[in-house]
Coordinates of all heavy atoms in Angstrom, one line a residue:
L136 N -1.6 7.1 9.5 CA -1.2 7.9 10.7 C -2.4 8.7 11.2 O -2.6 8.8 12.4 CB -0.1 8.8 10.2 CG 1.3 8.2 10.1 CD1 2.3 9.1 9.3 CD2 1.9 8.0 11.5
V137 N -3.1 9.3 10.3 CA -4.3 10.1 10.7 C -5.3 9.3 11.5 O -5.9 9.8 12.4 CB -4.9 10.8 9.5 CG1 -6.2 11.5 9.9 CG2 -3.9 11.9 8.9
N138 N -5.5 8.1 11.0 CA -6.6 7.3 11.6 C -6.1 6.2 12.5 O -6.8 5.2 12.7 CB -7.4 6.7 10.4 CG -8.2 7.7 9.7 OD1 -9.3 8.1 10.1 ND2 -7.6 8.2 8.6
T139 N -4.9 6.4 13.1 CA -4.4 5.4 14.1 C -5.4 5.3 15.2 O -5.8 6.3 15.8 CB -3.0 5.9 14.6 OG1 -2.1 5.9 13.5 CG2 -2.5 5.0 15.7
K140 N -5.8 4.1 15.5 CA -6.7 3.9 16.7 C -5.9 3.6 17.9 O -5.2 2.6 18.0 CB -7.7 2.7 16.4 CG -8.7 2.6 17.5 CD -9.8 1.6 17.1 CE -10.9 1.5 18.1 NZ -12.0 0.6 17.8
Y141 N -5.9 4.6 18.8 CA -5.0 4.5 20.0 C -5.6 3.5 21.0 O -6.8 3.4 21.2 CB -4.8 5.8 20.6 CG -4.1 6.8 19.8 CD1 -4.8 7.9 19.2 CD2 -2.8 6.7 19.4 CE1 -4.2 8.8 18.4 CE2 -2.2 7.6 18.6 CZ -2.8 8.7 18.1 OH -2.2 9.6 17.3
G142 N -4.8 2.8 21.7 CA -5.2 1.9 22.8 C -5.5 2.6 24.1 O -5.4 3.9 24.2
R143 N -6.0 1.9 25.0 CA -6.5 2.5 26.3 C -5.3 3.2 27.0 O -5.5 4.3 27.5 CB -7.1 1.5 27.2 CG -8.4 0.9 26.7 CD -8.7 -0.3 27.5 NE -9.8 -0.1 28.5 CZ -10.0 -0.9 29.5 NH1 -9.4 -2.0 29.7 NH2 -11.0 -0.6 30.4
D144 N -4.2 2.6 27.0 CA -3.0 3.2 27.7 C -2.6 4.5 27.1 O -2.3 5.5 27.8 CB -1.9 2.2 27.7 CG -2.1 1.1 28.7 OD1 -3.0 1.1 29.5 OD2 -1.4 0.1 28.5
A145 N -2.6 4.6 25.7 CA -2.3 5.8 25.1 C -3.3 6.9 25.3 O -2.9 8.1 25.5 CB -2.1 5.5 23.6
E146 N -4.6 6.5 25.3 CA -5.6 7.5 25.6 C -5.5 8.0 27.0 O -5.7 9.2 27.3 CB -7.0 7.0 25.3 CG -7.2 6.8 23.8 CD -7.3 8.1 23.1 OE1 -6.3 8.6 22.7 OE2 -8.4 8.5 22.8
R147 N -5.3 7.1 28.0 CA -5.1 7.6 29.4 C -3.9 8.5 29.5 O -4.0 9.5 30.2 CB -4.9 6.3 30.3 CG -6.2 5.5 30.5 CD -5.8 4.2 31.2 NE -6.9 3.3 31.4 CZ -6.8 2.0 31.6 NH1 -5.5 1.5 31.7 NH2 -7.8 1.3 31.8
E148 N -2.8 8.1 28.9 CA -1.6 9.0 29.0 C -1.9 10.4 28.4 O -1.5 11.4 29.0 CB -0.5 8.3 28.3 CG 0.9 8.9 28.5 CD 2.0 8.1 28.0 OE1 1.8 7.3 27.1 OE2 3.2 8.4 28.4
S149 N -2.5 10.4 27.3 CA -2.8 11.7 26.7 C -3.8 12.5 27.5 O -3.7 13.7 27.6 CB -3.3 11.5 25.2 OG -2.3 11.1 24.4
D150 N -4.8 11.8 28.1 CA -5.7 12.5 29.0 C -5.0 13.1 30.2 O -5.2 14.3 30.6 CB -6.8 11.6 29.5 CG -7.9 11.3 28.4 OD1 -7.9 12.0 27.4 OD2 -8.7 10.3 28.6
Y151 N -4.1 12.3 30.8 CA -3.4 12.7 32.0 C -2.5 13.9 31.8 O -2.7 15.0 32.4 CB -2.6 11.5 32.6 CG -1.9 11.9 33.8 CD1 -2.5 11.9 35.1 CD2 -0.5 12.3 33.8 CE1 -1.8 12.3 36.2 CE2 0.2 12.7 34.9 CZ -0.5 12.6 36.1 OH 0.2 13.0 37.3
Y152 N -1.6 13.7 30.9 CA -0.6 14.8 30.6 C -1.3 16.0 29.9 O -0.9 17.2 30.2 CB 0.6 14.3 29.8 CG 1.4 13.4 30.7 CD1 1.4 12.0 30.5 CD2 2.2 13.9 31.7 CE1 2.2 11.2 31.2 CE2 3.0 13.1 32.5 CZ 3.0 11.7 32.2 OH 3.8 10.9 33.0
G153 N -2.2 15.7 29.0 CA -2.9 16.8 28.4 C -3.7 17.7 29.3 O -3.7 18.9 29.2
T154 N -4.4 17.1 30.3 CA -5.1 17.8 31.3 C -4.2 18.6 32.2 O -4.5 19.8 32.6 CB -6.1 16.9 32.1 OG1 -6.9 16.2 31.2 CG2 -6.9 17.7 33.1
R155 N -3.1 18.0 32.6 CA -2.1 18.7 33.5 C -1.5 19.9 32.7 O -1.4 20.9 33.3 CB -1.0 17.7 33.9 CG 0.0 18.2 34.8 CD 0.8 17.2 35.5 NE 0.1 16.5 36.5 CZ -0.1 16.9 37.8 NH1 0.4 18.1 38.1 NH2 -0.8 16.2 38.7
M156 N -1.2 19.7 31.4 CA -0.7 20.8 30.6 C -1.8 21.9 30.5 O -1.4 23.1 30.5 CB -0.3 20.3 29.3 CG 1.0 19.5 29.3 SD 1.2 18.5 27.8 CE 0.9 19.6 26.5
L157 N -3.0 21.5 30.4 CA -4.1 22.5 30.3 C -4.1 23.4 31.6 O -4.3 24.6 31.4 CB -5.4 21.7 30.2 CG -6.7 22.5 30.0 CD1 -6.8 23.1 28.6 CD2 -7.9 21.5 30.2
A158 N -4.0 22.8 32.7 CA -3.9 23.6 34.0 C -2.7 24.4 34.0 O -2.8 25.6 34.4 CB -4.0 22.6 35.2
Q159 N -1.6 23.9 33.6 CA -0.3 24.7 33.7 C -0.4 25.9 32.7 O 0.3 26.9 33.0 CB 0.9 23.8 33.3 CG 1.2 22.7 34.4 CD 2.2 21.7 33.9 OE1 2.2 21.3 32.7 NE2 3.0 21.2 34.8
A160 N -1.1 25.7 31.7 CA -1.2 26.8 30.7 C -2.2 27.9 31.1 O -2.4 28.9 30.5 CB -1.7 26.3 29.3
G161 N -2.9 27.7 32.3 CA -3.7 28.7 32.9 C -5.2 28.5 32.6 O -6.0 29.4 32.9
Y162 N -5.6 27.4 32.0 CA -7.0 27.1 31.8 C -7.6 26.3 32.9 O -6.8 25.6 33.7 CB -7.1 26.3 30.5 CG -6.7 27.0 29.2 CD1 -5.5 26.7 28.6 CD2 -7.5 28.0 28.7 CE1 -5.2 27.4 27.4 CE2 -7.2 28.7 27.6 CZ -6.0 28.4 26.9 OH -5.6 29.1 25.8
D163 N -8.9 26.3 33.1 CA -9.5 25.5 34.1 C -9.5 24.0 33.6 O -10.1 23.7 32.5 CB -11.0 26.0 34.3 CG -11.6 25.3 35.5 OD1 -11.3 24.1 35.7 OD2 -12.4 26.0 36.2
P164 N -8.8 23.1 34.3 CA -8.7 21.8 33.8 C -10.1 21.0 33.7 O -10.2 20.0 33.1 CB -7.8 21.1 34.8 CG -7.9 21.9 36.0 CD -8.1 23.3 35.6
Y165 N -11.1 21.6 34.4 CA -12.4 20.9 34.3 C -13.0 20.9 32.9 O -13.9 20.1 32.6 CB -13.4 21.6 35.3 CG -14.6 20.7 35.6 CD1 -14.5 19.7 36.4 CD2 -15.8 21.0 35.0 CE1 -15.6 18.8 36.7 CE2 -16.9 20.2 35.2 CZ -16.8 19.1 36.1 OH -17.9 18.3 36.4
A166 N -12.4 21.7 32.0 CA -12.8 21.7 30.6 C -12.6 20.4 30.0 O -13.3 20.0 29.1 CB -12.1 22.8 29.8
A167 N -11.5 19.7 30.5 CA -11.3 18.3 29.9 C -12.4 17.4 30.3 O -12.7 16.4 29.6 CB -9.9 17.8 30.4
V168 N -13.0 17.6 31.5 CA -14.1 16.7 31.9 C -15.3 17.0 31.1 O -16.0 16.1 30.6 CB -14.4 17.0 33.4 CG1 -15.6 16.1 33.9 CG2 -13.2 16.6 34.3
T169 N -15.7 18.3 31.0 CA -16.9 18.6 30.2 C -16.8 18.1 28.7 O -17.7 17.7 28.1 CB -17.2 20.1 30.2 OG1 -16.1 20.8 29.7 CG2 -17.4 20.6 31.7
L170 N -15.6 18.2 28.2 CA -15.3 17.8 26.8 C -15.6 16.3 26.7 O -16.3 15.9 25.8 CB -13.9 18.1 26.5 CG -13.5 17.9 25.0 CD1 -14.1 18.8 24.1 CD2 -11.9 18.0 24.9
Q171 N -15.0 15.5 27.6 CA -15.2 14.1 27.5 C -16.6 13.7 27.8 O -17.1 12.7 27.3 CB -14.2 13.4 28.5 CG -12.8 13.3 28.1 CD -12.6 12.5 26.8 OE1 -13.3 11.5 26.6 NE2 -11.7 13.0 25.9
E172 N -17.3 14.4 28.7 CA -18.7 14.1 29.0 C -19.5 14.3 27.7 O -20.4 13.5 27.4 CB -19.2 15.0 30.1 CG -18.7 14.6 31.5 CD -19.2 15.6 32.5 OE1 -19.5 16.7 32.2 OE2 -19.3 15.2 33.7
T173 N -19.2 15.4 27.0 CA -20.0 15.6 25.7 C -19.7 14.5 24.7 O -20.6 14.0 24.1 CB -19.5 17.0 25.1 OG1 -19.9 18.0 26.1 CG2 -20.2 17.2 23.8
F174 N -18.4 14.1 24.6 CA -18.0 13.1 23.7 C -18.7 11.8 24.0 O -19.1 11.0 23.1 CB -16.5 12.9 23.6 CG -15.7 14.0 23.0 CD1 -14.4 14.1 23.1 CD2 -16.4 15.0 22.3 CE1 -13.7 15.2 22.5 CE2 -15.7 16.1 21.7 CZ -14.4 16.2 21.8
L175 N -18.8 11.5 25.3 CA -19.4 10.2 25.7 C -20.9 10.2 25.4 O -21.4 9.2 24.9 CB -19.2 10.0 27.2 CG -19.7 8.7 27.8 CD1 -19.0 7.5 27.2 CD2 -19.5 8.7 29.3
K176 N -21.6 11.3 25.6 CA -23.0 11.3 25.2 C -23.2 11.2 23.7 O -24.1 10.5 23.3 CB -23.6 12.7 25.7 CG -23.7 12.8 27.2 CD -24.3 14.2 27.5 CE -24.4 14.3 29.1 NZ -24.9 15.7 29.4
L177 N -22.3 11.8 23.0 CA -22.4 11.7 21.5 C -22.1 10.3 21.0 O -22.7 9.8 20.1 CB -21.5 12.7 20.8 CG -21.9 14.2 20.9 CD1 -20.7 15.1 20.5 CD2 -23.1 14.4 20.1
S178 N -21.2 9.6 21.7 CA -20.8 8.3 21.3 C -21.9 7.3 21.6 O -22.2 6.4 20.8 CB -19.5 7.8 22.0 OG -19.8 7.6 23.4
E179 N -22.6 7.6 22.7 CA -23.8 6.7 23.0 C -24.9 6.9 22.1 O -25.6 6.0 21.7 CB -24.2 7.0 24.5 CG -23.2 6.6 25.5 CD -23.5 7.1 26.9 OE1 -24.4 8.0 27.0 OE2 -22.9 6.6 27.9
G180 N -25.0 8.1 21.5 CA -26.0 8.4 20.5 C -25.6 8.0 19.1 O -26.4 7.9 18.2
R181 N -24.3 7.7 19.0 CA -23.7 7.2 17.8 C -24.0 8.1 16.6 O -24.4 7.6 15.6 CB -24.1 5.7 17.5 CG -23.6 4.8 18.6 CD -23.8 3.3 18.1 NE -22.9 3.0 17.0 CZ -21.6 2.7 17.1 NH1 -21.0 2.8 18.3 NH2 -20.9 2.4 16.1
E182 N -23.7 9.4 16.7 CA -23.9 10.3 15.6 C -22.8 9.9 14.6 O -21.7 9.8 14.9 CB -23.7 11.7 16.0 CG -24.8 12.3 16.9 CD -24.8 13.8 17.1 OE1 -24.0 14.4 16.3 OE2 -25.4 14.3 17.9
Q183 N -23.3 9.6 13.3 CA -22.4 9.0 12.3 C -21.2 9.9 12.0 O -20.1 9.3 11.8 CB -23.2 8.8 11.0 CG -22.4 7.9 10.1 CD -22.1 6.5 10.6 OE1 -22.9 5.9 11.3 NE2 -20.8 6.1 10.5
S184 N -21.3 11.2 12.0 CA -20.2 12.0 11.7 C -19.1 11.9 12.7 O -17.9 11.9 12.4 CB -20.6 13.5 11.5 OG -21.1 14.0 12.8
W185 N -19.5 11.7 14.0 CA -18.5 11.6 15.0 C -17.9 10.2 15.0 O -16.7 10.0 15.3 CB -19.2 11.8 16.4 CG -19.5 13.2 16.6 CD1 -20.7 13.9 16.2 CD2 -18.8 14.2 17.3 NE1 -20.6 15.2 16.6 CE2 -19.5 15.4 17.3 CE3 -17.5 14.2 17.9 CZ2 -19.0 16.6 17.8 CZ3 -17.0 15.3 18.5 CH2 -17.8 16.5 18.5
V186 N -18.7 9.2 14.6 CA -18.2 7.8 14.5 C -17.1 7.8 13.4 O -16.1 7.1 13.6 CB -19.3 6.8 14.3 CG1 -18.7 5.4 14.0 CG2 -20.3 6.7 15.5
D187 N -17.4 8.4 12.3 CA -16.4 8.5 11.2 C -15.2 9.3 11.5 O -14.2 9.1 10.9 CB -17.1 9.1 9.9 CG -18.1 8.2 9.3 OD1 -18.1 7.0 9.6 OD2 -18.9 8.7 8.5
G188 N -15.3 10.2 12.5 CA -14.3 11.1 12.8 C -13.5 10.8 14.1 O -12.8 9.8 14.2
L189 N -13.8 11.6 15.1 CA -13.0 11.5 16.3 C -13.1 10.2 17.0 O -12.1 9.7 17.6 CB -13.4 12.7 17.3 CG -12.5 13.1 18.4 CD1 -11.2 13.7 17.8 CD2 -13.1 14.0 19.4

Side-chain angles (χ1 to χ4, degrees):
L136 283 164
V137 168
N138 291 276
T139 297
K140 187 170 184 177
Y141 298 111
R143 293 170 100 193
D144 289 343
E146 289 294 78
R147 286 173 185 158
E148 190 172 17
S149 288
D150 283 347
Y151 178 83
Y152 288 106
T154 303
R155 184 165 284 279
M156 287 159 50
L157 186 68
Q159 291 171 323
Y162 294 107
D163 192 322
Y165 197 75
V168 176
T169 60
L170 186 69
Q171 285 297 323
E172 286 176 336
T173 299
F174 289 170
L175 184 60
K176 289 178 183 177
L177 288 168
S178 71
E179 291 169 348
R181 297 192 66 80
E182 291 193 15
Q183 191 58 46
S184 63
W185 290 85
V186 173
D187 289 343
L189 200 68

